[in-house]
Amino acid sequence: MKVQHSAAIEHQQAVEQAMRRWQVLAGVGMVWLAATAAAQAPYVAIEQRVDPQELARVGLSPAQLQTLNRLLREADARSPAPPVAAPGAPTPAPMFPGLDDGPITAKVTGQVDGWAPGTVFTLDNGQQWQVLKGEMKLKTSRSNPAIVVVPGIAGRWFLQVDEDLPKARVFRIR
């Protein structure tokens, strides 16, 4: 059941390293954009935010309104509001890609006695998953065991043969 594809594993590791670099760069860019947007957003007084009749019902004096505006301006300066998307703007990509995907439940075709980097699991749904990280030797060999392939952060996937055993980090090859 073990098939070694060191070139495929090296390629996957290189891709993951490049993804980590891009994630760091994207994070720095998002922080810069948020800081720039916060610096450009002027404070809007409470009198312009709230309906005048509702504000009159509260019964604040001019001095209280001035104090409230000062407090709100200071609070806005300490913690800028997140940017608001324009109507019709595309939905941003999820923060943690892959977590929106659900787990895959299937059966492995054949015997499973363990796994190591390079091991390929063929599932009864036609998918093939190759172990990237993790090594395990089962006490007893299992024939056509039910497994779950669960998503992780940043598109990573983990194969679980038994919930009490460690998971193998895998990537889909077919």
Side-chain angles (χ1 to χ4, degrees):
M1 186 100 187
K2 292 185 181 181
V3 178
Q4 293 292 329
H5 293 283
S6 61
I9 292 172
E10 290 173 9
H11 173 71
Q12 181 70 18
Q13 290 171 337
V15 167
E16 288 179 2
Q17 187 177 20
M19 286 295 293
R20 283 191 291 275
R21 287 184 189 137
W22 279 109
Q23 287 170 340
V24 169
L25 184 59
V28 170
M30 289 189 324
V31 168
W32 178 80
L33 284 173
T36 303
Q40 295 172 352
Y43 173 76
V44 177
I46 191 74
E47 296 90 346
Q48 296 172 347
R49 295 183 192 185
V50 181
D51 182 50
Q53 287 86 11
E54 290 179 14
L55 193 57
R57 258 185 274 152
V58 174
L60 295 175
S61 69
Q64 290 172 323
L65 277 173
Q66 185 178 12
T67 302
L68 180 60
N69 277 317
R70 180 181 53 78
L71 291 172
L72 290 173
R73 187 177 299 109
E74 289 170 1
D76 280 355
R78 283 192 306 270
S79 59
V84 178
T91 306
M95 182 64 82
F96 300 108
L99 288 178
D100 295 337
D101 299 329
I104 299 166
T105 305
K107 287 188 175 193
V108 175
T109 57
Q111 291 288 116
V112 176
D113 56 355
W115 57 85
T119 304
V120 175
F121 290 97
T122 302
L123 308 183
D124 61 356
N125 62 9
Q127 295 180 354
Q128 285 188 331
W129 293 82
Q130 185 172 358
V131 175
L132 181 65
K133 290 183 181 178
E135 192 167 330
M136 181 75 182
K137 177 74 174 153
L138 300 177
K139 289 181 182 178
T140 58
S141 184
R142 298 182 186 190
S143 180
N144 302 320
I147 57 96
V148 180
V149 183
V150 294
I153 294 176
R156 294 183 173 119
W157 289 88
F158 299 90
L159 186 132
Q160 175 179 313
V161 175
D162 185 324
E163 64 183 22
D164 294 332
L165 296 175
K167 297 177 182 82
R169 175 133 170 245
V170 294
F171 64 96
R172 187 172 171 184
I173 56 177
R174 185 175 66 132

